[in-house]
């Protein structure tokens, strides 16, 4: 790894050293009049490859920065109605002025051609028609094929490996980060081009003052007023009868935009996640969150395989959402946005797992077989109201959101011959309000931000019969950890209620001068969390222990009455700088942390008063027209949460109790991280690549120490007061290129991640090590008019060691994974499409291998005049009903072999159409 770091740093500084050559000057005609929009390119002699380019401004001035190992380069100047010039110059910084001779440009034939990729300043534009195939219908279909852009499984769009911060349609942010609905349902025919806005600062008053390292996406439609959308209705053969309905009309106007979305299916499509916030904008806009429940109590869950969701999700879902935006003033500076969505979902899941616990000390190898059948029920309602003014002379944004959950989970589990019925009820109410305003004051800017959040979580876990549980506790009679013996015919009940109030208020003022912006800020954060838990059950004495006394659960040992408060005043200085080549932002905060944890049941009163300095910085240098080099680093502190501060025995899941020693201090974690990155994006030759290296170190004062019963798999988790570390470093690289001659887009990626962490198991300390290597390859081709291909491949190798724990000297195992997806579409006759899809997922430990192949076949007829598609699709042709896989669990020092139930073979007939 040290060698890789050295090579990377050598490359980093070598590129920087070579990137200092700049040619600038002025271009005029014979009369000395400036020539605007003349193109200036730098090329290596004898090579048809552009190193860098520039365009003259209205004064005829240009500036081109380039990198080359040659001693001389060719400088070429072209302009309309002027004779082209070429001059060989030395590879050095210099000024070159040119006078161009007039020459009429004879146009014999005019052919209008749109470049596939064009760049202007920080905006890169992609012509959508250049990357789509005949089978593509929506924006998402094409977005995955654009060089430099990736789309994750959850719908998140990445540019050059980093998540975008905004998603606009015709310059308006209707979805406020929840762009999955538009991406999946906007017809590609409505789109003129996709624009990537690099280094995008979404707050207009901060542009050219406070830089950003994130990019945004703007979807430019063909018409300024567009009524469009996508619909689908399908039904099919399966068990039970299958349905699929998608109705997503959209309207994009100059004053208002709206999207209405209703989707329902029982065929394994996870449409409910379209409402998730994927892009969070700028911190200057306030705070946005994906409202979720505090996940405390759980039933035992069947595994989910590493497969496309459609292969295994047994669902019945209804998802309804509506998004509306309108300008409420004549200047179109004020916007009102109203968003709402409702989810009703029922999911079934089932698996069988054989878990093998490695031998250690005097314990032999053991195997525990479990099977789990789940039913998960989700009812969720969310509403949001947003007022925004985003103008050059001021900014205001207030976001009010409310969420209500009525969720319930069920499980029927079998473990070592015992059957248990499990149920969790978990209603949650959640409210947030975020306000941010920036007011110009003379040459300064004043920013006020306020955030208030309140959430009430109530959860109950019931297990019946209670003797299914063989959970562990410390038996006082023999001073050892033994299973609790529950009375036959009884059940246990764990209840929890958590009330959470969070507030954050801040004020800052910004000063700008010569590209520099300084922002001193004062802030006050406060949070209060009130936790109440109670465990109820009936136990009997352990017959294997003479004189044993059964534990009773009506005492304080199995209850919690905890109040956890955090009071955090802080002061900070923000520093930002932006020039043509440099981009810098840093924040230097000093935090005064006051934390208290109080539990009257145990007479526990913990407190912490600590001052911390948590700086972070990012520096980026742009050079040679196409390169960007950046470094970043930060220090952060976390002082735990109520979930790591409680003390009573709590049955978080049927797998075992969690308990914290009342004498343990408040948890503290100090994290340090640093990263460097070089990226290259050249729209002239359609080449993109990036190289990155990152490292991190987290220091903690508490360490989880589970005690494991290898005969049953049940655990008791406690926490030890001991300094410990978790360290990671990661190297990654990706390169992609579009070949226009062959209509082919290709990319290759590689990453190597090494992590080390201190850990405990059964009072034995060890070092947990992970080394993961991942390789990726993406290819799509639309060269032939009778065929198009999309292919994605990934391979991973994960070596996991528990050094100091295993009898075999630390080696726990190697987990290898291979995953590829092939989509091939054939167009034998106009308006007829035959599709073939092949998903292959393999896992193994070097000796045993589990191969899982899935095949789909489809036929589609397109009624082109009406833009309606009729599709007949046969999924999982081989009718594979079970997915087999191999996994490693370092926490319990075990390996598991799992069989997960899959969706059977099914046939669907669908009608797909555009609304206009």
């Amino acid at each position: 790894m040290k060698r890789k770091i050295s090579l990377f740093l050598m490359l980093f500084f070598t590129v920087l050293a070579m990137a200092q050559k700049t040619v600038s000057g002025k271009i005029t005609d014979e009369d000395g009049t400036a020539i605007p929009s003349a193109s200036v390119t730098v090329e290596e002699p004898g090579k048809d490859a552009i190193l860098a380019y520039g365009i003259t401004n209205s004064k005829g001035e240009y500036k081109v920065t380039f990198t080359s190992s040659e001693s001389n380069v060719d400088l070429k100047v072209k302009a309309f109605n002027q004779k082209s010039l070429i001059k060989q110059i030395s590879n050095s910084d210099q000024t070159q002025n040119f006078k161009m001779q007039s020459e009429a440009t004879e146009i014999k034939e005019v052919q209008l051609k749109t470049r596939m990729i064009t760049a202007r300043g920080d905006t890169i534009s992609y012509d959508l028609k250049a990357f789509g195939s005949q089978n593509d219908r929506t924006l998402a279909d094409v977005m995955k094929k654009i060089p430099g852009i990736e789309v994750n499984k959850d719908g998140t769009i990445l540019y050059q490996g980093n998540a975008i911060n905004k998603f606009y349609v015709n310059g308006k942010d209707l979805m406020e980060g929840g762009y999955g609905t538009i991406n999946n349902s906007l017809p590609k025919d409505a789109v003129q081009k996709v624009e990537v806005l690099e280094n995008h600062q979404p707050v207009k008053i901060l542009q050219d003052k406070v830089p950003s390292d994130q990019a945004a996406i703007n979807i430019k439609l063909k018409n300024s007023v567009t009524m469009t959308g996508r619909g689908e209705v399908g039904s099919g053969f399966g068990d039970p009868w299958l349905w699929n309905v998608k109705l997503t009309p959209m309207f994009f106007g100059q004053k208002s935009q709206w999207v209405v979305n209703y989707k329902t299916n029982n065929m394994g499509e996870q449409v409910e996640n379209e409402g998730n916030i994927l892009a969070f904008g700028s911190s200057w806009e306030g705070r946005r969150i994906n409202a979720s429940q505090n996940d405390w109590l759980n039933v035992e869950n069947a595994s989910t395989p590493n497969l496309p969701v459609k292969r295994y999700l047994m669902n019945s879902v209804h998802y309804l959402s509506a998004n509306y935006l309108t300008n409420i003033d004549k200047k179109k500076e004020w916007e009102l946005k109203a968003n709402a969505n409702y989810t009703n979902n029922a999911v079934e899941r089932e698996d069988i797992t054989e878990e093998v616990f490695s031998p250690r000390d005097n314990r032999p190898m053991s195997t525990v077989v479990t099977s789990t059948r789940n039913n998960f029920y989700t009812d969720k309602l969310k509403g949001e109201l947003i007022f925004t003014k985003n103008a050059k002379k001021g900014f205001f944004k207030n976001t009010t959101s409310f969420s209500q959950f009525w969720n319930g989970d069920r499980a029927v589990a079998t473990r070592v011959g015992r059957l248990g019925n499990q149920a969790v009820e978990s209603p949650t109410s959640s409210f947030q309000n975020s306000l941010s305003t920036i007011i110009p004051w003379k040459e300064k800017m004043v920013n006020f931000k306020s955030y208030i959040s309140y959430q009430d979580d109530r959860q109950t876990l019931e297990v019946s019969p209670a003797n299914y549980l063989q959970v562990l506790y410390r038996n006082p009679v023999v001073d050892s950890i033994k299973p609790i013996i529950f009375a036959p015919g009884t059940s246990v009940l764990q209840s929890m209620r958590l009330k959470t109030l969070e507030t954050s208020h801040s004020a800052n003022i910004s000063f700008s001068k010569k590209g520099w912006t300084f922002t001193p800020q004062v802030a006050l954060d406060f949070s209060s969390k009130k936790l109440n838990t109670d465990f109820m059950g009936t136990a009997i004495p352990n017959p294997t222990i003479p004189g044993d006394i059964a534990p009773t659960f009506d005492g304080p040992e199995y209850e919690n009455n905890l109040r956890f408060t955090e009071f955090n005043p802080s002061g900070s200085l923000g520093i930002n700088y932006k020039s043509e080549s440099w981009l810098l932002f840093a924040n230097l905060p000093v935090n005064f942390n006051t934390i208290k944890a109080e539990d009257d049941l145990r007479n526990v009163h913990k407190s912490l008063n600590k001052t911390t300095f948590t700086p972070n910085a990012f520096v980026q240098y742009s050079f040679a027209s196409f390169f960007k080099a950046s470094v970043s680093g930060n220090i952060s502190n976390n002082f735990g949460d109520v979930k790591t501060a409680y003390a009573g025995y709590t049955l978080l899941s049927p797998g075992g109790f969690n308990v914290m020693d009342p004498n343990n201090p408040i948890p503290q974690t100090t994290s340090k991280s640093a990263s460097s990155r070089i990226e290259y994006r050249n729209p002239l030759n359609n080449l993109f690549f990036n190289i990155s290296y990152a490292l991190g170190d987290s220091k903690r004062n508490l360490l989880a120490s589970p005690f494991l019963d290898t005969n049953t798999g049940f655990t008791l988790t406690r926490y030890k007061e001991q300094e410990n570390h978790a360290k990671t470093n990661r190297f990654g690289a990706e390169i992609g290129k579009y070949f226009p001659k062959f209509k082919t887009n290709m990319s290759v990626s590689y990453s190597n991640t090494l992590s080390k962490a201190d850990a405990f198991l059964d009072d034995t300390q060890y070092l947990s090590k992970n080394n993961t290597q991942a390789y990726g390859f993406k290819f799509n081709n639309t060269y032939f008019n009778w065929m198009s291909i999309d292919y994605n491949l990934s391979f991973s190798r994960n070596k996991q060691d528990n050094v100091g724990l295993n009898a075999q000297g630390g080696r726990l195992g190697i987990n290898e994974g291979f995953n590829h997806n092939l989509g091939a579409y054939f167009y034998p006759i106009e308006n007829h499409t035959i599709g073939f899809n092949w998903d292959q997922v393999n896992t193994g430990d070097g000796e045993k291998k589990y191969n899982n192949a899935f095949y789909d076949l489809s036929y589609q007829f397109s009624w082109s005049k009406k833009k309606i598609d009729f599709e007949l699709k046969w999924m999982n042709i081989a009718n594979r009903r079970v997915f087999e896989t191999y996994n490693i669990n370092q926490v319990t020092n075990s390996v598991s072999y799992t069989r997960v139930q899959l969706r059977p073979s099914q046939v669907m007939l669908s009608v797909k159409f555009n609304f206009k």
Side-chain angles (χ1 to χ4, degrees), residues 353-369:
T353 298
E354 179 182 301
E355 191 163 13
V356 180
F357 296 95
S358 301
R360 64 183 191 280
D361 301 331
N362 58 350
R363 300 185 185 189
M365 180 182 294
S366 61
T367 301
V368 173
V369 178

Side-chain angles (χ1 to χ4, degrees), residues 373-609:
R373 187 170 69 251
N374 290 119
N375 291 92
F376 302 107
Y377 303 101
T378 301
D379 272 290
K380 175 187 174 184
L381 176 67
K382 179 183 178 181
E384 195 169 49
L385 193 64
I386 304 172
F387 287 94
T388 304
K389 177 186 178 181
N390 191 4
K392 282 290 186 180
K393 295 184 178 181
F395 176 80
F396 176 91
K397 186 170 187 176
N398 189 85
T399 304
T400 302
S401 60
F402 171 79
S403 299
Q404 179 66 49
F405 298 82
W406 303 272
N407 290 357
D409 300 335
R410 304 289 184 269
V412 177
T414 303
R415 183 189 293 258
V416 291
R418 296 174 182 244
L419 179 68
N421 295 289
Q422 308 165 19
V424 166
E425 301 294 339
S426 53
T428 294
S429 300
S430 175
F431 168 85
Q432 292 85 33
N433 191 84
S434 173
L435 169 67
S436 178
T437 183
I438 303 175
I439 303 170
W441 177 42
K442 297 181 180 179
E443 299 300 322
K444 308 174 184 66
M445 297 180 298
V446 181
N447 174 228
F448 297 98
K449 287 191 289 188
S450 175
Y451 176 78
I452 299 173
S453 173
Y454 177 77
Q455 185 159 315
D456 185 1
D457 293 278
R458 290 174 292 171
Q459 299 177 13
T460 57
L461 167 63
E462 183 177 9
V463 182
S464 176
N467 60 10
Y468 164 80
L469 300 173
Q470 299 178 61
V471 294
L472 307 174
Y473 82 115
R474 183 170 290 279
N475 192 306
V477 175
V478 293
D479 191 26
S480 64
I481 295 176
K482 297 291 183 181
I484 297 175
I485 308 300
F486 289 96
T490 64
S491 62
V492 300
L493 185 69
Q494 174 72 62
S495 63
M496 184 280 295
R497 185 167 190 179
L498 178 63
K499 297 180 180 180
T500 305
L501 173 66
E502 295 183 13
T503 65
S504 178
H505 309 284
S506 66
N508 65 57
I509 185 169
S510 298
F511 308 83
S512 297
K513 188 174 183 180
K514 294 183 179 180
W516 290 88
T517 300
F518 299 92
T519 307
Q521 174 177 286
V522 293
L524 179 61
D525 296 342
F526 173 79
S527 69
S528 174
K529 299 181 180 180
K530 185 69 170 63
L531 173 69
N532 293 98
T533 72
D534 189 19
F535 179 81
M536 293 180 289
T538 304
I540 59 177
N542 192 327
T544 64
I545 303 175
D548 183 45
I549 300 175
T552 58
F553 307 114
D554 54 359
E557 192 174 12
Y558 292 88
E559 299 178 39
N560 283 284
N561 183 21
L562 176 68
R563 182 178 293 277
F564 189 88
T565 59
E566 297 179 83
F567 182 70
N568 179 23
S570 64
S572 64
L573 175 64
I575 303 173
N576 299 277
Y577 175 74
K578 184 176 182 180
S579 68
E580 185 176 341
S581 299
W582 289 95
L583 185 122
L584 176 149
F585 52 88
N587 194 34
L588 309 174
V590 178
N591 309 284
F592 306 93
N593 304 280
T594 300
I595 302 172
K596 293 183 179 180
E598 300 174 305
D599 188 342
D600 295 334
L601 286 174
R602 294 166 187 77
N603 196 29
V604 172
H605 300 279
K606 305 177 186 180
S607 63
L608 180 146
N609 294 280

Side-chain angles (χ1 to χ4, degrees), residues 41-52 72-76:
T41 60
V42 178
E43 302 178 12
E44 291 184 345
K47 297 180 181 179
D48 187 20
I50 297 175
L51 297 176
N72 297 300
V73 295
D74 289 339
L75 190 68
K76 296 182 179 180

Side-chain angles (χ1 to χ4, degrees), residues 224-248:
S224 58
V225 177
T226 302
M227 177 69 190
T228 185
R230 188 75 176 157
E232 179 177 342
V233 178
S235 183
F237 302 97
D239 184 20
W241 189 266
L242 303 175
W243 77 82
N244 184 24
V245 177
K246 301 178 183 179
L247 301 172
T248 313

Side-chain angles (χ1 to χ4, degrees), residues 256-317:
S256 63
Q257 297 182 350
W258 55 260
V259 173
V260 176
N261 182 32
Y262 173 67
K263 294 182 178 178
T264 177
N265 73 85
N266 69 341
M267 56 173 291
E269 197 165 342
Q270 202 172 28
V271 297
E272 65 275 13
N273 289 341
E274 285 190 348
N276 290 347
I277 300 173
L278 303 175
F280 292 88
S282 164
S283 61
W284 293 83
E285 298 179 78
R287 189 182 300 184
R288 301 288 310 288
I289 65 169
N290 278 312
S292 61
Q293 298 178 287
N294 281 300
D295 189 17
W296 274 68
L297 307 184
N298 295 278
V299 299
E300 292 180 276
N301 292 339
S303 303
T304 56
N306 180 28
L307 281 174
V309 174
K310 65 181 180 180
R311 300 295 184 192
Y312 65 85
L313 183 63
M314 314 285 187
N315 68 328
S316 176
V317 63

Side-chain angles (χ1 to χ4, degrees), residues 645-662:
Y646 69 92
Y649 279 78
T650 305
L651 192 71
L652 300 182
S653 77
F657 280 115
N658 276 48
V659 62
M660 179 79 75
D661 189 328

